[in-house]
Amino acid sequence: MDLKIVEIIIPDSVKEIQRGAFDQSNISEIVIPNGIETIAHSLFSISKLKKITIPKSVKKIENFAFSHCSELDTVCYEGSMNDWNKVIKEEYWNNESHRFVVKCSDGEKFE
């Protein structure tokens, strides 16, 4: 990934984002399109990501997806807290990242 890119728009027609696609990128904010079901392994690891919007269609977050995302402070999840709690989060999904807030349609919590 070109480290100069700080913003990217992913069209709704995308149904899968490959592992490590935004690894070590300078992207600060991203909206994952509806229809994506998995946040892939190392997708944003060591990136400058600050805010991400995740659709309710996501059912799994793989290991190291947000590893070392030291600037991540907000995850906007488009479902309820109950839906968020049902998302399968592999053991090291947010490895070495500081705490961030997950905002859902009916509340928020820290991870």
Side-chain angles (χ1 to χ4, degrees):
M1 158 120 335
D2 184 344
L3 294 179
K4 296 175 189 164
I5 296 173
V6 295
E7 182 179 343
I8 190 166
I9 297 171
I10 302 172
D12 286 338
S13 59
V14 172
K15 299 302 175 200
E16 181 180 355
I17 304 171
Q18 293 296 314
R19 168 185 184 149
F22 304 110
D23 179 83
Q24 300 183 41
S25 73
N26 285 322
I27 293 171
S28 61
E29 186 171 339
I30 194 164
V31 175
I32 301 296
N34 193 31
I36 297 288
E37 293 186 359
T38 300
I39 305 286
H41 188 287
S42 302
L43 189 61
F44 297 102
S45 66
I46 318 173
S47 72
K48 302 290 184 188
L49 190 65
K50 294 179 183 178
K51 181 179 179 183
I52 183 169
T53 300
I54 299 175
K56 187 177 174 181
S57 62
V58 168
K59 304 297 181 212
K60 182 178 183 182
I61 302 175
E62 294 183 348
N63 278 331
F64 308 107
F66 299 103
S67 179
H68 297 277
C69 289
S70 61
E71 296 182 36
L72 182 62
D73 58 24
T74 306
V75 172
C76 297
Y77 179 70
E78 295 180 334
S80 68
M81 291 294 292
N82 188 46
D83 295 329
W84 173 254
N85 290 331
K86 290 179 183 176
V87 173
I88 297 167
K89 299 166 199 83
E90 292 186 350
E91 184 175 2
Y92 299 110
W93 71 280
N94 62 349
N95 185 53
E96 298 293 326
S97 293
H98 69 283
R99 287 175 49 99
F100 50 84
V101 66
V102 177
K103 296 181 178 184
C104 300
S105 62
D106 61 349
E108 57 186 51
K109 69 185 262 186
F110 283 93
E111 291 280 3

